Amino acid sequence: MNTKYSILVPAYNEQEVLKIFYDTATKQFDTLKEDYEIIFVNDGSKDNTYSILKELAEQDKRIKVINFSRNFGQQAAELAALQYATGEAIIIMDCDLQDPPEVALQMIEKWKEGYDVVHGKRKKRQSETAFKKLTAHVYYRFLRRITGMDIPTDTGEFKLYDRKVVEAILKLPEHNRYLRALATWVGFKQTSISFDRPNRSAGVTKWTLKKMIKLAEDGIIANSAYPLALALKCGIFLSFASLLTFIVFIILAIVGTSLSLVAWLFPTVGLLAGIILVMQGFSNLYIGRVYDEVKGRPNYIVSETINIE
Ligand code: UDP
Ligand code: MG
């Protein structure tokens, strides 16, 4: 049976917030007076997240749970939930209430007006460090530039998708799906809703610097060939620089300043090695991706599901 709305919630070590999320979210979504499901993905939590989710699913059949065999990351969790979602409109949100359920209701209003993708745009971000705000600010503007896509700035995973958008995303053959960019890439009718991002209701952020760097890399390499072009640009620049050095050296030789052979070797070897290394380095990133795709491993492994046929 198809439901009207699917709320998708990745959860990694979220024992402190799950019940608060459940109470707050159901209270809000109940006001719709339409049927909905909440699909939680337990992304390999080491705390009591899974047992709390089992409890919730026992009391409330609208709660569905996908349990990962280990921590595969928020992106994989969201992808899994998208594959299981049956709703006509699908909303991805965090379970720490930083993505307020009231805003999700506003997204549904927009969907009813005919929009297919509604991005949650963060106006103010309480609690986040200056480092995170600055890097996010710079990164998303850079990503927009190099991908040439109109990815709305200051948006995260909090979005509403119409079913047809989700189906389009799931049909993509690639393994490395970077949802934030794909949501824009697939097209359809898009809009944004601005909201103040509150503090986490409890617990601490699950995004380590390492995970953020990996996500940033995914965003670039999966969506843009800019680094390849950059290698070419660097190559051209370095070639010109070395050529210029040679011209200067030749002029110096003509006017009678003798340079040792070692001096000549410096610009030659140094710049050639530089060019080769830069080219090789970027190519390697892509070779790594090809390797990932060729392996064809799944994005996640589900060990069990609850309330899902
Ligand atoms: N999350 C996840 N797997 C991870 C890291 C995070 O499923 O490896 C979930 C987490 O439980 C939360 C959401 O992704 O529901 C966003 O994480 P968090 O709130 O820690 O990130 P922040 O809001 O600080 O960027
Ligand atoms: Mg959060």
Side-chain angles (χ1 to χ4, degrees), residues 11-307:
Y12 176 53
N13 295 341
E14 299 284 13
Q15 61 184 14
E16 298 95 347
V17 299
L18 286 171
K19 284 201 174 128
I20 313 172
F21 174 85
Y22 171 81
D23 290 341
T24 318
T26 48
K27 210 161 140 197
Q28 291 286 340
F29 292 120
D30 284 346
T31 63
L32 287 166
K33 309 250 182 292
E34 289 170 292
D35 60 335
Y36 65 88
E37 62 182 1
I38 302 182
I39 305 182
F40 286 99
V41 181
N42 174 32
D43 184 15
S45 300
K46 291 176 186 73
D47 64 0
N48 294 321
T49 295
Y50 188 47
S51 53
I52 298 170
L53 289 178
K54 274 201 277 196
E55 243 172 68
L56 291 175
E58 197 122 312
Q59 301 159 10
D60 184 343
K61 294 296 162 209
R62 297 170 302 179
I63 305 302
K64 303 181 176 178
V65 183
I66 297 168
N67 190 37
F68 277 3
S69 59
R70 66 165 169 85
N71 179 241
F72 283 92
Q74 187 180 353
Q75 291 276 319
E78 288 165 358
L79 197 64
L82 283 175
Q83 270 154 349
Y84 283 89
T86 59
E88 288 167 38
I90 292 139
I91 300 172
I92 296 181
M93 57 199 299
D94 289 4
C95 61
D96 55 12
L97 293 173
Q98 283 194 289
D99 301 333
E102 316 79 91
V103 179
L105 294 184
Q106 292 169 25
M107 288 179 167
I108 289 173
E109 286 302 308
K110 287 278 173 200
W111 176 71
K112 285 181 173 166
E113 284 170 28
Y115 288 100
D116 299 310
V117 179
V118 186
H119 304 267
K121 203 166 154 67
R122 302 154 181 185
K123 267 193 296 190
K124 273 192 223 127
R125 303 164 143 213
Q126 291 173 29
S127 82
E128 279 172 22
T129 61
F131 173 76
K132 190 161 177 181
K133 279 186 231 172
L134 179 75
T135 48
H137 182 88
V138 172
Y139 176 75
Y140 287 105
R141 276 151 190 84
F142 176 68
L143 194 63
R144 271 169 73 98
R145 242 190 102 115
I146 66 167
T147 58
M149 281 192 280
D150 199 16
I151 302 169
T153 50
D154 304 312
T155 56
E157 305 291 306
F158 184 30
K159 297 183 205 300
L160 176 147
Y161 300 83
D162 184 81
R163 167 132 298 273
K164 61 176 176 280
V165 176
V166 169
E167 266 157 28
I169 290 174
L170 293 178
K171 261 195 214 132
L172 298 177
E174 67 208 76
H175 172 84
N176 216 314
R177 292 195 187 86
Y178 182 76
L179 263 184
R180 292 182 198 197
L182 291 181
T184 300
W185 182 84
V186 289
F188 299 106
K189 220 175 147 203
Q190 310 223 349
T191 189
S192 303
I193 286 186
S194 296
F195 70 101
D196 289 331
R197 196 167 201 238
N199 288 330
R200 239 178 186 278
S201 54
V204 291
T205 180
K206 306 301 176 305
W207 276 89
T208 57
L209 184 63
K210 198 172 144 199
K211 281 184 176 176
M212 283 199 283
I213 291 172
K214 170 74 173 62
L215 186 72
E217 187 202 308
D218 279 347
I220 294 170
I221 309 292
N223 291 292
S224 166
Y226 180 77
L228 280 179
L230 186 69
L232 184 68
K233 282 178 194 159
C234 287
I236 292 169
F237 173 79
L238 289 174
S239 305
F240 268 115
S242 65
L243 211 68
L244 218 68
T245 316
F246 279 122
I247 292 169
V248 171
F249 278 21
I250 289 164
I251 292 170
L252 285 176
I254 291 170
V255 297
T257 319
S258 73
L259 288 162
S260 70
L261 195 63
V262 179
W264 285 90
L265 279 176
F266 250 104
T268 322
V269 176
L271 293 180
L272 279 178
I275 293 168
I276 293 165
L277 278 177
V278 168
M279 299 277 204
Q280 180 86 54
F282 281 117
S283 305
N284 284 353
L285 287 177
Y286 284 84
I287 291 168
R289 292 300 155 129
V290 172
Y291 176 61
D292 266 355
E293 294 290 339
V294 167
K295 275 195 297 192
R297 285 192 189 162
N299 276 307
Y300 56 86
I301 299 166
V302 175
S303 67
E304 59 258 90
T305 62
I306 303 175
N307 292 353

